[in-house]
Amino acid sequence: MTRIMVFGTFDMLHKGHINFFRQARSLAPDPYLIVSIARTSSVLRVKGRSSRHTEEERKAIVEESKLVDEVVLGDKEGYMDHIFKFAPDIIALGYDQEGEYVKSLTQDLKKIGLSTKVTRLNSYKPDIYKTSKLL
């Protein structure tokens, strides 16, 4: 089993997200997909606005996907504690994920003793399937 972790706000679940999950699962023959839901405080800090739904509502939305094996809430501060807890073999970033943790993710993983591979996934019709455009 290969533990693959992805991150996001997931204010809704659309075809772009489904493709994101499928791409992440395709990274290994025996995937176990862990989706980390951004905490409300993190969404506000990173995006400069609140999410439309609470973190628990967003978690419940993602839990309904059969492509996902486990859904967890991210850390309230920082991001390494829950990554360390789940020790993923692969972290798959979305094509547009940027911000406080992406720049130093590989170095931060090494600092805590994880040899997690970090990869970036492709976009899927971003002119149509992007949450900010659909809301």
Side-chain angles (χ1 to χ4, degrees):
M1 177 176 64
T2 303
R3 299 171 68 81
I4 302 166
M5 191 172 219
V6 299
F7 306 84
T9 303
F10 304 104
D11 237 344
M12 64 186 321
L13 204 57
H14 54 67
K15 289 182 182 180
H17 292 132
I18 299 305
N19 180 271
F20 178 58
F21 297 157
R22 283 192 178 123
Q23 282 187 61
R25 292 185 71 80
S26 75
L27 296 172
D30 57 345
Y32 183 86
L33 183 60
I34 304 163
V35 177
S36 174
I37 305 294
R39 301 305 283 254
T40 300
S41 58
S42 297
V43 173
L44 184 58
R45 186 176 65 252
V46 172
K47 295 187 176 192
R49 61 172 172 75
S50 295
S51 54
R52 293 184 70 185
H53 300 284
T54 68
E55 55 197 36
E56 289 297 335
E57 289 170 331
R58 293 183 283 116
K59 183 175 183 273
I61 289 168
V62 175
E63 284 173 334
E64 292 181 21
S65 174
K66 295 188 184 327
L67 295 169
V68 175
D69 296 296
E70 189 169 357
V71 184
V72 300
L73 292 174
D75 296 328
K76 287 188 177 184
E77 291 186 28
Y79 61 95
M80 293 308 296
D81 288 345
H82 83 296
I83 292 174
F84 183 75
K85 176 181 175 184
F86 292 98
D89 301 294
I90 301 170
I91 289 179
L93 298 172
Y95 76 97
D96 63 345
Q97 285 184 302
E98 300 174 349
E100 57 191 51
Y101 74 89
V102 175
K103 292 177 189 174
S104 61
L105 181 58
T106 302
Q107 297 89 336
D108 291 344
L109 289 165
K110 287 179 184 175
K111 284 180 192 174
I112 62 169
L114 293 178
S115 58
T116 303
K117 176 183 175 187
V118 178
T119 189
R120 180 132 347 230
L121 301 177
N122 297 316
S123 64
Y124 175 76
K125 300 182 182 180
D127 51 323
I128 299 171
Y129 298 113
K130 189 161 176 73
T131 304
S132 59
K133 292 183 182 212
L134 293 170
L135 291 177

